[in-house]
Amino acid sequence: MKKGRPNSKPVIEQQPQPGRPSDSESVDRAAEDWIRAHVEPVGPIETTHERPWSTVLRVPLAEGVAWFKACAPVQAFEPRLTAELYARWPDRVAEVLGHDEERAWLLLADAGTPVRELGNPPEAWLDALPLYAELQRGEAAHVADHLAYGVPDLRVATLPARYDELLRCELPLEGDELGRLRAFAPRFAELCDELAACGVPESVQHDDLHMANVYAQGEGLLLLDWGDSSVSHPFASLVVTFRFLEELNGLSPDDPWFPRLRDAYLEPWGGGLEEAFALALRVGAFAHAIAWLRQRDHLPERDRVEFDRWFAGALRRALARTVD
């Protein structure tokens, strides 16, 4: 696991938080003691990045590295969720060496090479997406448990009310864009009803499924960084995946890779779901923008200007889906 984010969400620096790892010390004593209870570092434990939502430390080991993540309250559910997923899906989720639910700490084994460093080839997604779909199908049985332990609730039935909540916020959009967003509210509610009627069970939705969060290790692929996850329509995960294939790989929206990847993802779900998939991408673009409110609400005011620059992009990508 080599931690880093593309611009799915902005990089915003933040002052060290009390009780959390800081740059002034390699790691605070409590966290270091906890790390050493699980692994044996062979050198200094160093902060690799500090964000409002998490701090990540690199832990050098005799045979490689481990990665410690201290999650802020906004994603305190992540260590337990990751541990639960690894327990059930050890062949496709990064290895959990330890986790502390109360302190929202997570220790992961190195996951190999991010697909980003391989150029984000569509061929890698051809392999990764069916594995991810199988995980989602299995996790549908654990939705109630995930919700009980704080995984955000973005189930389709909740989305019209969350859309109204979005409209009540001061959004980084122009006046005509805000008008389009408001005018689309009734149609959005109809689309949510149509998507719910498709009968696909809701499950864990990663919501940050891009080339920096899928890793190649040997012959396998591992998924990690579940801090943006929610319980929602599973197909909406590919909103982010497809966005980065367009923006970074230069694939046009009508590139034949997209139906090929769609079909690979849908194969574990069964046949006849192409229309549901297209509908989920449309609804999911708005759900993805709505999900940004969770991080935004936890930011200090000084960090919101930079955050809103990227938030506006998410909102505008959703607005592009308003045309029938």
Side-chain angles (χ1 to χ4, degrees):
M1 170 181 161
K2 302 172 185 174
K3 291 301 296 181
R5 285 174 176 259
N7 289 330
S8 53
K9 290 193 173 61
V11 173
I12 301 173
E13 300 301 337
Q14 186 183 37
Q15 295 300 311
Q17 301 176 31
R20 295 205 182 272
S22 70
D23 289 324
S24 59
E25 307 171 38
S26 288
V27 58
D28 71 20
R29 177 58 58 184
E32 181 172 349
D33 290 345
W34 185 85
I35 290 168
R36 291 182 181 277
H38 293 85
V39 295
E40 295 183 12
V42 295
I45 298 171
E46 299 176 338
T47 303
T48 62
H49 72 238
E50 191 164 12
R51 309 285 186 259
W53 37 82
S54 67
T55 297
V56 173
L57 308 178
R58 183 182 185 276
V59 184
L61 305 177
E63 297 183 359
V65 296
W67 301 89
F68 170 85
K69 188 172 189 178
C71 297
V74 68
Q75 61 186 64
F77 64 87
E78 183 182 359
R80 183 185 187 277
L81 173 62
T82 304
E84 289 290 305
L85 294 177
Y86 175 67
R88 289 191 282 270
W89 307 94
D91 64 329
R92 64 198 74 186
V93 174
E95 180 183 0
V96 175
L97 301 174
H99 77 290
D100 186 315
E101 292 180 40
E102 183 177 348
R103 291 183 285 194
W105 289 352
L106 180 63
L107 187 66
L108 297 180
D110 192 75
T113 302
V115 168
R116 173 180 58 191
E117 293 186 10
L118 305 176
N120 195 32
E123 292 85 354
W125 291 103
L126 204 60
D127 294 330
L129 290 176
L131 297 175
Y132 175 62
E134 290 168 3
L135 179 152
Q136 288 183 298
R137 285 200 67 189
E139 287 304 303
H142 302 279
V143 159
D145 185 59
H146 292 320
L147 291 171
Y149 283 92
V151 178
D153 186 356
L154 284 178
R155 288 175 290 179
V156 174
T158 74
L159 291 179
R162 298 298 302 275
Y163 192 98
D164 291 341
E165 177 187 333
L166 181 73
L167 293 175
R168 291 193 293 271
C169 295
E170 186 175 341
L171 300 176
L173 293 174
E174 302 296 330
D176 62 325
E177 294 172 320
L178 290 169
R180 287 169 55 200
L181 196 64
R182 293 189 184 98
F184 191 67
R187 179 62 178 142
F188 180 72
E190 292 175 355
L191 293 173
C192 289
D193 288 342
E194 292 174 21
L195 183 58
C198 293
V200 176
E202 291 174 299
S203 184
V204 169
Q205 201 275 82
H206 188 287
D207 210 38
D208 208 22
L209 193 66
H210 53 61
M211 64 285 164
N213 291 329
V214 175
Y215 282 62
Q217 188 175 78
E219 297 298 315
L221 292 167
L222 299 175
L223 307 166
L224 65 157
D225 203 357
W226 297 85
D228 289 322
S229 298
S230 62
V231 171
S232 190
H233 197 286
F235 298 178
S237 300
L238 274 70
V239 167
V240 170
T241 310
F242 283 7
R243 171 200 159 194
F244 280 101
L245 285 166
E246 286 187 29
E247 294 184 359
L248 295 186
N249 291 67
L251 300 186
S252 64
D254 60 353
D255 191 286
W257 265 113
F258 289 117
R260 189 176 176 191
L261 293 173
R262 176 202 64 197
D263 292 347
Y265 172 75
L266 289 178
E267 194 279 331
W269 293 98
L273 291 171
E274 291 81 6
E275 290 186 11
F277 182 85
L279 184 55
L281 291 191
R282 190 176 184 189
V283 170
F286 291 92
H288 182 64
I290 289 167
W292 281 59
L293 292 177
R294 182 165 57 90
Q295 280 88 356
R296 190 174 189 254
D297 289 346
H298 285 76
L299 286 177
E301 194 65 34
R302 66 178 181 273
D303 289 333
R304 287 197 178 184
V305 173
E306 175 66 10
F307 185 92
D308 279 354
R309 187 163 70 89
W310 299 103
F311 184 32
L315 289 165
R316 288 182 175 121
R317 286 189 293 275
L319 274 173
R321 304 267 188 168
T322 60
V323 179
D324 281 315

